[in-house]
C-alpha cells in the first residue's frame, strides 16, 4: 500500500517501548511485529476515505462493521470486542471561547495482535504530540503494547475535557455576573447557547465512562494487565469531568430561571413606573379637561385668581403623588 502524506499521519514499529523503524509495507511490518512478543505497529490515519481505510482493513484484517463505524465518524463513545481485535470510539472536543461553540470530532482505535490503528476525524486533539510524548517520556508505557496507544489517546482527550471544563467555568462566572449586574440585559440567548454546548459535552463524556471502567477493572480481553493503573487514572479524571459537566447543566438551568425572574422583575418595575407617571399626569389632564369643556355656567370661572389657583392645585397634587410614589418604590 502506498503512503499518502495527507491520510497517513505516521506509521512506525515499536520494540520494547522504543521506536525502531518506519515500515514500507504493512503486511511485512505486521508479520515482523507478531514474530516478536515485544513489538507492535502503530499506524495513524487522518480522515481517510472509505477506499483508503479499506486498504488498511484488508492488510490488518479489521472487522468490516468496525471499519464502517470508523468511516462514518458519527458514533457514540464505545468499546467493542470482535473476534481478534478491539474497537474503541472516543469523542474529541474543541471549545472556541470567542463564540461559545463546542466543535466535536472523533478518534476510532483498532487494537489487535501486534498493531494499533488510530483514525481521527475533525480538528480537535491532534495525536502527533501524543505519539511524541510517548516516544520521548513514556517509553515504559509503550512496553505494554497496543493497549498503551489506547491509554495515551484516551488520556490526552480526557485531559482536553478537563481544560474545557475550566474554560466553561469561567464563562459561567461571567454569565452569573452579567445576569445580576446593575445594568443588566436579557442573557437568555447566551445561556441557551452555552447550555446546548454543555449538552454536547455531556454526550461526549458520559458514554465514555463505561468503556473506561471496563478497561480500569481489567474486564477487556487482550488488554495488558500492566495498563490497568493507567486506565484507572484516566477513569478518575473522566469521572471528575462528568461530575463537573452535570453540575454545569444544573447551574445553567438555575441561571436561566434567575434570568427570567430578573426580566420579570424588570418588567414589573417598568410597568409600575409607567403607571405612576400616568397617575401623576392624569391630575392636570382631568382638571384641564373639565375647564376645557367651555360651558357658560361653571363655578370659579369668574374668580380673579382662579387660573393661578388651579395651576397651583395641579402642581401640589402632582408633587404629592410624585412624593408618595417615590416613597413606595414605584419611581
Amino acid at each position: 500500500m502506498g503512503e499518502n502524506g495527507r491520510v497517513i499521519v505516521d506509521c512506525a514499529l515499536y520494540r520494547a517501548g522504543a521506536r525502531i523503524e518506519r515500515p514500507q509495507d504493512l503486511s511485512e511490518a505486521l508479520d515482523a511485529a507478531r514474530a516478536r512478543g515485544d513489538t507492535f505497529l502503530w499506524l495513524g490515519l487522518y480522515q481517510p476515505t472509505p477506499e483508503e481505510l479499506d486498504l488498511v482493513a484488508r492488510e490488518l484484517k479489521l472487522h468490516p462493521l468496525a471499519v464502517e463505524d470508523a468511516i462514518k465518524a458519527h458514533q457514540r463513545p464505545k468499546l467493542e470486542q470482535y473476534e481478534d481485535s478491539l474497537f474503541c470510539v472516543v469523542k474529541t472536543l474543541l471549545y472556541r471561547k470567542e463564540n461559545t461553540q463546542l466543535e466535536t470530532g472523533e478518534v476510532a482505535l483498532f487494537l489487535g495482535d501486534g498493531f494499533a490503528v488510530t483514525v481521527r476525524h475533525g480538528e480537535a486533539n491532534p495525536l502527533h504530540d501524543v505519539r511524541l510524548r510517548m516516544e520521548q517520556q513514556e517509553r515504559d508505557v509503550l512496553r505494554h503494547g497496543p493497549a498503551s496507544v489506547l491509554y495515551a489517546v484516551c488520556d490526552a482527550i480526557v485531559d482536553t475535557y478537563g481544560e474545557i471544563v475550566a474554560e466553561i467555568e469561567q464563562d459561567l462566572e461571567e454569565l452569573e455576573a452579567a445576569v445580576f449586574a446593575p445594568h443588566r440585559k436579557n442573557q437568555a440567548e447566551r445561556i441557551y447557547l452555552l447550555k446546548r454546548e454543555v449538552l454536547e459535552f455531556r454526550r461526549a463524556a458520559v458514554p465514555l465512562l463505561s468503556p473506561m471502567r471496563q478497561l480500569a477493572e481489567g474486564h477487556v480481553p487482550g488488554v495488558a494487565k500492566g495498563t490497568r493503573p493507567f486506565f484507572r487514572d484516566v477513569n478518575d479524571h473522566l469521572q471528575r469531568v462528568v461530575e463537573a459537566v452535570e453540575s454545569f447543566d444544573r447551574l445553567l438551568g438555575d441561571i436561566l430561571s434567575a434570568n427570567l425572574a430578573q426580566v420579570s422583575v424588570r418588567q414589573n418595575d417598568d410597568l409600575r413606573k409607567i403607571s405612576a407617571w400616568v397617575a401623576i399626569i392624569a391630575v392636570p389632564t382631568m382638571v384641564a379637561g373639565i375647564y376645557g369643556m367651555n360651558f357658560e355656567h361653571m363655578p370659579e370661572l369668574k374668580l380673579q385668581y382662579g387660573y393661578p389657583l388651579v395651576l397651583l392645585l395641579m402642581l401640589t397634587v402632582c408633587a404629592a403623588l410624585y412624593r408618595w410614589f417615590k416613597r413606595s418604590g414605584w419611581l
Side-chain angles (χ1 to χ4, degrees):
M1 181 183 65
E3 180 178 327
N4 188 320
R6 182 180 65 85
V7 176
I8 299 180
V9 179
D10 201 351
C11 181
L13 280 170
Y14 295 86
R15 179 172 298 160
R19 181 170 179 150
I20 56 174
E21 62 178 294
R22 184 182 180 92
Q24 299 298 321
D25 184 88
L26 285 182
S27 296
E28 294 180 1
L30 188 60
D31 291 339
R34 288 173 174 171
R36 297 175 57 102
D38 61 348
T39 305
F40 73 96
L41 173 73
W42 182 355
L43 173 63
L45 305 176
Y46 178 66
Q47 297 186 169
T49 64
E51 294 76 15
E52 292 163 337
L53 186 56
D54 186 60
L55 291 175
V56 176
R58 287 203 301 268
E59 293 284 356
L60 302 181
K61 296 180 174 56
L62 304 179
H63 197 281
L65 292 178
V67 173
E68 182 181 354
D69 288 344
I71 292 173
K72 289 182 178 179
H74 292 290
Q75 308 295 318
R76 282 171 54 88
K78 60 182 179 179
L79 181 66
E80 295 179 342
Q81 183 75 42
Y82 290 96
E83 296 175 359
D84 53 357
S85 64
L86 188 68
F87 178 65
C88 183
V89 175
V90 186
K91 287 288 186 182
T92 59
L93 300 176
L94 177 63
Y95 186 60
R96 299 194 182 277
K97 190 176 178 65
E98 62 274 8
N99 56 3
T100 317
Q101 186 175 1
L102 192 68
E103 297 182 5
T104 60
E106 188 173 302
V107 174
L109 299 100
F110 299 88
L111 304 181
D113 182 17
F115 70 87
V117 179
T118 58
V119 182
R120 184 169 67 92
H121 295 269
E123 298 182 10
N125 289 101
L127 301 181
H128 178 68
D129 291 341
V130 176
R131 188 188 288 260
L132 285 180
R133 175 172 60 85
M134 296 294 288
E135 292 176 354
Q136 298 174 4
Q137 303 175 17
E138 301 186 17
R139 291 185 178 181
D140 290 340
V141 181
L142 276 174
R143 293 177 183 273
H144 295 290
S148 63
V149 176
L150 178 59
Y151 153 72
V153 172
C154 292
D155 182 57
I157 292 175
V158 172
D159 284 347
T160 302
Y161 289 176
E163 295 171 2
I164 295 175
V165 164
E167 293 177 344
I168 293 179
E169 282 180 342
Q170 293 179 358
D171 287 345
L172 283 172
E173 291 174 359
E174 295 172 3
L175 200 53
E176 283 183 302
V179 168
F180 295 101
H183 304 287
R184 50 189 174 268
K185 297 181 180 179
N186 189 353
Q187 301 289 333
E189 181 179 359
R190 186 180 173 190
I191 295 170
Y192 171 76
L193 291 175
L194 187 56
K195 191 174 180 65
R196 185 181 63 183
E197 301 310 316
V198 167
L199 179 61
E200 191 68 29
F201 196 170
R202 193 172 186 276
R203 289 173 180 168
V206 173
L208 189 59
L209 278 173
S210 179
M212 287 299 104
R213 188 179 301 113
Q214 294 179 50
L215 291 165
E217 294 175 354
H219 299 324
V220 182
V223 176
K225 293 182 179 180
T227 58
R228 291 181 189 176
F230 302 108
F231 285 114
R232 280 200 296 268
D233 182 66
V234 176
N235 186 50
D236 290 341
H237 292 173
L238 181 61
Q239 286 181 339
R240 287 198 291 269
V241 167
V242 170
E243 291 171 0
V245 171
E246 291 179 342
S247 68
F248 291 161
D249 189 50
R250 292 190 297 269
L251 182 57
L252 280 168
D254 294 340
I255 293 175
L256 182 59
S257 299
N259 181 73
L260 294 175
Q262 292 284 355
V263 171
S264 179
V265 169
R266 192 159 57 247
Q267 289 176 342
N268 289 336
D269 288 343
D270 293 341
L271 184 60
R272 288 193 299 179
K273 289 179 180 179
I274 293 171
S275 300
W277 283 113
V278 168
I280 293 172
I281 296 172
V283 174
T285 302
M286 180 187 67
V287 175
I290 291 173
Y291 284 94
M293 291 188 290
N294 295 322
F295 291 118
E296 183 176 351
H297 301 288
M298 292 183 67
E300 297 92 24
L301 287 179
K302 303 299 183 180
L303 292 177
Q304 181 179 359
Y305 300 105
Y307 178 69
L309 285 174
V310 171
L311 288 180
L312 180 62
L313 176 64
M314 288 190 295
L315 289 174
T316 301
V317 174
C318 288
L321 286 174
Y322 178 83
R323 185 178 180 183
W324 182 74
F325 284 129
K326 193 74 173 176
R327 283 183 175 179
S328 62
W330 282 47
L331 287 175

